Amino acid sequence: MPEKRALLVVTSDNTQFYDDGKKTGLYWAEAIHPYNVYTKAGYDVDVVSETGSVFLDEHSIADDAMDEESKAAWHDASNPLKKVIEGGVLKPSEVDPSKYGIFYASGGHGAVFDFPSAKGLHEIASKIYANDGVVAAVCHGPAILPFIKDPTTGESLVKGRRVTGFTAEGERLFKVEDAMKKFDVHTVEELVNEVGGTYVQPPGGPLDDYCISDGRIVSGVNPASAASTAELTISVFEQLVV
């Protein structure tokens, strides 16, 4: 059976994406919140990206954009997750999927650039799922889900499944629709629907905390959902697996 261990999956992308010239990457809150949830629950946590490198979305580490938990961790030089990110994370070749009960893909707009082609991460997720683990993603992280193969069918893991993620309305709200078209990257909704999944709109606004599960697939909408998505993965893992 899979271990009480979570693999935090992050983007390697660092594209100069925003109109103000700032670069995209990993959204800090979507890493630190689940990390804290897992460690407080007694889970070991490792961090991996497709290349072994990781960059922070520059907007996500601006003081006025961070909640108090994220801000405290970011300004703490001894924070263990910050030290891991600054020191370099694991590559897929350094990960043994059999050790993990949970695969959790964090977001940031960088995810829509590299997650769809991150074959090493896709393979890890497929193996964790095959071993009765939970596959989860939050915000733009669900851009990885359509490209993970269901080990029993060879088709997309989310074909015929319900998945949520950052909304098209949210992209409009943050005025990045034109940038996404410029770089030819797609919304989570588009990617999920293309493989026969069902994208689920959050019942509230695009910034509300919302996450869902469909079997052992868990997904959340935005940075505000990062902690609750992690909590839901623990609930699913401990009910269905342990």
Side-chain angles (χ1 to χ4, degrees), residues 147-231:
F147 303 94
I148 298 167
K149 297 297 184 185
D150 185 326
T152 61
T153 67
E155 297 188 281
S156 171
L157 188 64
V158 298
K159 182 178 181 180
R161 301 280 192 157
R162 299 169 66 251
V163 177
T164 193
F166 201 69
T167 66
E169 182 183 354
E171 306 292 7
R172 290 191 291 272
L173 180 65
F174 286 98
K175 300 179 180 178
V176 294
E177 275 189 311
D178 288 344
M180 293 183 75
K181 290 176 183 177
K182 171 186 173 182
F183 288 102
D184 194 26
V185 292
H186 301 281
T187 65
V188 171
E189 180 175 358
E190 289 169 337
L191 295 172
V192 169
N193 290 338
E194 282 174 5
V195 298
T198 299
Y199 176 81
V200 179
Q201 293 281 355
L207 304 184
D208 290 346
D209 183 347
Y210 180 69
C211 59
I212 61 172
S213 62
D214 189 335
R216 290 182 286 114
I217 302 169
V218 177
S219 51
V221 171
N222 50 34
S225 312
S228 60
T229 301
E231 290 163 356

Side-chain angles (χ1 to χ4, degrees), residues 8 30 44 54 56 59 62 73 76 78 133 140 147 166:
L8 189 62
E30 295 172 30
D44 292 324
V54 58
L56 275 296
H59 285 291
D76 178 4
S78 65
H140 292 90
F147 303 94
F166 201 69

Side-chain angles (χ1 to χ4, degrees), residues 48-143:
V48 65
S49 75
E50 184 70 8
T51 66
S53 61
V54 58
F55 304 92
L56 275 296
D57 184 296
E58 293 182 272
H59 285 291
S60 80
I61 51 175
D63 273 358
D64 61 357
M66 288 190 283
D67 60 89
E68 291 304 313
E69 181 180 348
S70 302
K71 189 182 297 184
W74 180 250
H75 291 298
D76 178 4
S78 65
N79 180 270
L81 179 60
K82 185 178 180 184
K83 290 171 72 173
V84 166
I85 287 174
E86 290 177 339
V89 302
L90 297 173
K91 298 177 183 178
S93 60
E94 299 171 315
V95 171
D96 179 355
S98 69
K99 292 184 176 181
Y100 299 93
I102 297 172
F103 175 103
Y104 184 108
S106 297
H109 274 96
V112 299
F113 283 86
D114 69 339
F115 276 4
S117 60
K119 293 183 179 180
L121 300 179
H122 302 165
E123 184 176 356
I124 289 170
S126 183
K127 289 180 177 178
I128 289 174
Y129 191 81
N131 197 36
D132 294 327
V134 175
V135 171
V138 71
C139 198
H140 292 90

